[in-house]
């Protein structure tokens, strides 16, 4: 095992060394520098996967409008064409409506917008599919240009065959060249895919590859470390989704709360809430060292566990994507930008994470 580990470490070192060499030999435009882009953003992005898209509910619309009005300027709002009950752009449409209401009195745009193209099996035309989808997203978002257009995940093809990643990359490049998007990004790309994409965009097309959006939090950063190292070497920023582990890294799901949910005879055993409660209970048991350490540090700082978990992600030079549904949650997340965990606190959290189970949700990075 030691020999195997040594070989694995050597191979990873060679990959990163090669990536650094490529990065350092490229001109700034070839390298796809993202320094200016990131410095213009608020350090936290806001996700919209679970946004209530009932655009005809006046109360819901007013609540969401108030929420968007309180969001910080230059925050990145992250969405996707397949977000929404029918996966047909309902969330993009709602965001377009909310932003138009929020910015009526402003001369400059308050938010940056990121959305995603989904490589669905029935999309076999490659570049033209991407350009058409981008234009449709722009229409729903009520924008002339997207700030960050991303591929949602590697193409799964049809039963694992007939994959068309290069065709979709070409479509993304055309969106960039047509001025439909300011920046290009990918999502859920691991070591192999991110290097291939970097070669296509940066080396072949001279288009900066700005971001890679991956599952990145206190419970999942180990499995993402190789991807993170390569992205760092290639100057690709990390957008981290699930920064609070879908609620695991908060003080919301106490033992008492979980017991009440699981013993409630009025709900089915396979209901969404009970399935999640069983998953939370498993994590409480198998992530005890991490949750105890996070609880202790957050209590000593007078912060919530969620606030400290998000601050940890920021400390790792990633941009956390946080979903918020009300003003209290928004204030809790914004508080993560108002302090910095110490190097010792980060070390303690990292060590506790190494003694705990990893977070299982999200895409495998290949």
């Amino acid at each position: 095992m030691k020999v195997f580990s040594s070989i694995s470490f050597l191979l990873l070192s060679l990959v990163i060394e090669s990536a650094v060499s490529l990065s350092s030999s490229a001109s700034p435009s070839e390298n796809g520098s993202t320094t200016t882009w990131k410095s213009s953003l608020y350090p936290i992005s806001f996700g919209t996967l679970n946004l209530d898209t009932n655009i005809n509910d006046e109360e819901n619309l007013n609540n969401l409008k108030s929420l968007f009005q309180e969001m910080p300027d230059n925050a990145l709002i992250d969405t996707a064409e397949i977000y929404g009950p029918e996966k047909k752009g309902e969330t993009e449409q709602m965001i377009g409506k909310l932003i138009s209401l929020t910015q009526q009195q402003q001369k400059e745009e308050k938010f940056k917008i990121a959305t995603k193209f989904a490589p669905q099996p029935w999309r076999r035309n490659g570049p033209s599919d991407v350009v058409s989808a981008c234009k449709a997203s722009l229409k729903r978002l009520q924008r002339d240009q997207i700030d960050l257009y991303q591929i949602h995940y590697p193409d799964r093809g049809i039963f694992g065959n007939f994959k068309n990643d290069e065709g979709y990359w070409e479509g993304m490049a055309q969106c960039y060249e047509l001025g439909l998007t300011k920046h290009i990004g990918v999502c859920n790309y691991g070591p192999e895919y991110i290097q291939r994409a970097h070669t296509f965009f940066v080396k072949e097309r001279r288009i900066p590859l700005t971001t890679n959006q991956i599952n990145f939090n206190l419970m999942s950063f180990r499995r993402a470390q190789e991807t993170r190292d390569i992205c760092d070497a290639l100057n690709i920023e990390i957008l981290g989704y699930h920064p609070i582990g879908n609620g695991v890294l908060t003080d919301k799901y106490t033992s008492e709360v979980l017991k009440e949910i699981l013993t409630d005879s009025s709900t089915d055993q396979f209901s969404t809430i009970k399935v999640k409660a069983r998953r939370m209970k498993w994590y409480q048991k198998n992530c005890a060292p991490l949750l105890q350490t996070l609880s202790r540090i957050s209590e000593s700082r007078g912060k919530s566990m969620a606030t400290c978990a998000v601050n940890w992600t920021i400390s790792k030079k990633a941009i956390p994507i946080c979903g918020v549904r009300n003003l209290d949650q928004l204030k809790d997340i914004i508080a993560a930008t108002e302090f910095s965990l110490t190097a010792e606190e980060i070390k303690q959290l990292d060590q506790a994470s190494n003694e705990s189970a990893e977070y299982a949700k999200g895409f495998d990075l290949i």
Side-chain angles (χ1 to χ4, degrees):
M1 288 297 293
K2 289 184 178 179
V3 173
F4 179 78
S5 298
S6 299
I7 293 173
S8 299
F9 178 78
L10 178 60
L11 289 173
L12 175 59
S13 299
L14 289 172
V15 167
I16 295 173
E17 183 179 350
S18 175
V20 172
S21 177
L22 286 171
S23 175
S24 61
S25 64
S27 68
S29 60
E30 290 175 324
N31 191 43
S33 176
T34 59
T35 303
T36 302
W37 179 81
K38 185 177 180 180
S39 64
S40 68
L41 291 178
Y42 189 73
I44 293 173
S45 174
F46 295 95
T48 59
L49 175 61
N50 297 312
L51 189 75
D52 189 333
T53 59
N54 189 347
I55 204 165
N56 297 315
D57 185 332
E58 187 173 349
E59 182 179 358
N60 176 54
L61 198 60
N62 287 333
N63 288 339
L64 290 175
K65 178 184 175 182
S66 297
L67 186 64
F68 270 57
Q69 286 175 330
E70 293 302 318
M71 284 184 180
D73 289 349
N74 294 316
L76 184 70
I77 307 297
D78 181 74
T79 188
E81 63 172 351
I82 59 171
Y83 286 178
E86 302 297 325
K87 302 184 184 301
K88 294 181 180 179
E90 302 97 321
T91 301
E92 287 181 330
Q93 185 179 6
M94 175 62 94
I95 290 171
K97 178 69 173 178
L98 289 169
I99 290 178
S100 68
L101 293 173
T102 303
Q103 296 186 167
Q104 285 178 348
Q105 305 301 320
Q106 294 181 320
K107 293 182 180 180
E108 297 184 1
E109 292 181 342
K110 177 180 175 69
F111 302 112
K112 308 294 184 183
I113 300 297
T115 192
K116 311 178 192 75
F117 167 84
Q120 305 284 27
W122 55 86
R123 284 175 159 165
R124 296 291 99 191
N125 296 322
S128 63
D129 283 332
V130 183
V131 174
S132 296
C134 185
K135 290 179 179 179
S137 289
L138 282 167
K139 184 177 181 179
R140 289 188 291 267
L141 290 164
Q142 302 182 38
R143 288 241 168 170
D144 296 322
Q145 189 179 50
I146 296 169
D147 294 288
L148 175 65
Y149 198 41
Q150 308 158 94
I151 293 184
H152 208 147
Y153 42 78
D155 185 18
R156 298 159 175 165
I158 303 173
F159 300 111
N161 299 310
F162 309 108
K163 296 180 180 180
N164 195 23
D165 293 291
E166 285 78 6
Y168 296 139
W169 295 344
E170 173 60 31
M172 297 291 283
Q174 290 180 17
C175 289
Y176 180 85
E177 291 167 346
L178 289 168
L180 302 178
T181 182
K182 293 180 182 178
H183 301 280
I184 293 295
V186 294
C187 305
N188 302 298
Y189 275 31
E192 175 190 341
Y193 265 86
I194 197 64
Q195 290 180 95
R196 284 175 53 199
H198 180 270
T199 296
F200 176 86
F201 286 110
V202 179
K203 291 299 173 183
E204 297 177 9
R205 297 301 299 271
R206 298 297 190 264
I207 296 173
L209 181 56
T210 305
T211 58
N212 184 18
Q213 183 178 147
I214 60 174
N215 181 7
F216 190 78
N217 62 47
L218 259 170
M219 296 188 296
S220 68
F221 77 98
R222 285 165 289 158
R223 72 170 62 184
Q225 192 59 53
E226 182 182 358
T227 298
R228 175 63 194 270
D229 289 342
I230 292 172
C231 285
D232 283 349
L234 297 175
N235 203 23
I236 298 169
E237 297 291 346
I238 293 293
L239 291 172
Y241 62 82
H242 289 163
I244 57 174
N246 202 28
V248 179
L249 298 172
T250 71
D251 45 18
K252 177 180 179 180
Y253 295 101
T254 63
S255 299
E256 293 75 16
V257 169
L258 292 177
K259 182 178 179 180
E260 182 178 347
I261 294 172
L262 293 171
T263 56
D264 182 3
S265 59
S266 66
T267 55
D268 186 83
Q269 290 300 314
F270 298 100
S271 63
T272 301
I273 189 170
K274 282 194 174 178
V275 170
K276 182 171 183 177
R278 285 193 291 271
R279 186 168 68 245
M280 293 297 111
K281 187 175 181 180
W282 186 91
Y283 278 120
Q284 280 194 348
K285 177 182 177 182
N286 292 280
C287 297
L290 174 57
L291 296 177
Q292 290 168 5
T293 302
L294 181 60
S295 177
R296 173 176 53 78
I297 291 174
S298 62
E299 186 176 349
S300 68
R301 281 188 164 273
K303 307 288 185 182
S304 73
M305 290 174 63
T307 298
C308 289
V310 172
N311 186 270
W312 176 92
T313 302
I314 295 172
S315 77
K316 296 296 181 177
K317 310 303 180 186
I319 300 174
I321 301 175
C322 303
V324 294
R325 301 187 187 186
N326 54 58
L327 291 174
D328 287 338
Q329 289 180 353
L330 178 62
K331 291 175 183 178
D332 204 32
I333 294 303
I334 288 176
T337 67
E338 299 169 353
F339 74 106
S340 296
L341 292 168
T342 66
E344 179 58 30
E345 288 171 330
I346 294 170
K347 179 181 177 181
Q348 290 175 18
L349 288 168
D350 289 353
Q351 290 176 341
S353 180
N354 287 332
E355 299 168 9
S356 303
E358 288 207 65
Y359 184 62
K361 295 197 73 175
F363 288 75
D364 290 332
L365 297 175
I366 57 175

